[in-house]
Amino acid sequence: MTEQAIIKQIGKPAEIDFRKPKAIGSAGFYLKSFKAKNPESENLKLDSKCNFEKRTNGILLRANYSNKLTAIPIPKESIIGITITRGKETIDPFFLSPMWILLKLGVSKLYARYFKILISEYSIDQMELNLKTAEYEMDFIANGYLFERQQSFFENLNYENKLKTIIKAST
């Protein structure tokens, strides 16, 4: 699909406001399921590496599978729902570990988790994303550490009534 065809359907890429910078693209996701309501429409391969780009009138899904690039424009009005699910988080630092000390000092777990010594001190399951549109239904997964950035990206799309966030209980 050419850039001109994409611009015609969903507009130009979002402009960056340097005074209040916001994400205009997502990190990488892996496609786990893809259902197209129209059999003639574009079909994506499972396990494609995908990311989203914010456009003026929608989002652009870019998929890469074995260096075969595919772009699917998704107009804002065709989006039915976006559900982003945070993986289950396990926090179990041992006494006097750097992570334990930082948590006791009131440092956010989002920063303290990078100071773990043992793998068992902190873990988070993968995050899941479900995107339903008038033509497609897709499920994606990504690293759980990326959840906060992805949540911020999808919230900045300003699709409030279409965005749903699910946070699994921590242990």
Side-chain angles (χ1 to χ4, degrees), residues 53 86 106 167:
E53 180 182 326
R86 183 172 201 230
I167 298 176

Side-chain angles (χ1 to χ4, degrees), residues 75-126:
K76 189 178 195 175
E77 56 276 353
S78 76
I79 296 174
I80 297 169
I82 301 171
T83 305
I84 185 166
T85 306
R86 183 172 201 230
K88 182 182 173 198
E89 190 175 41
T90 304
I91 303 168
D92 188 23
F94 63 90
F95 183 67
L96 292 180
S97 73
M99 183 178 172
W100 182 86
I101 293 168
L102 290 171
L103 290 171
K104 290 298 179 187
L105 291 172
V107 174
S108 168
K109 66 182 175 186
L110 299 178
Y111 297 108
R113 67 186 179 184
Y114 292 105
F115 294 91
K116 67 181 182 182
I117 293 176
L118 301 175
I119 293 172
S120 63
E121 285 188 84
Y122 180 88
S123 67
I124 185 166
D125 293 341
Q126 63 194 14

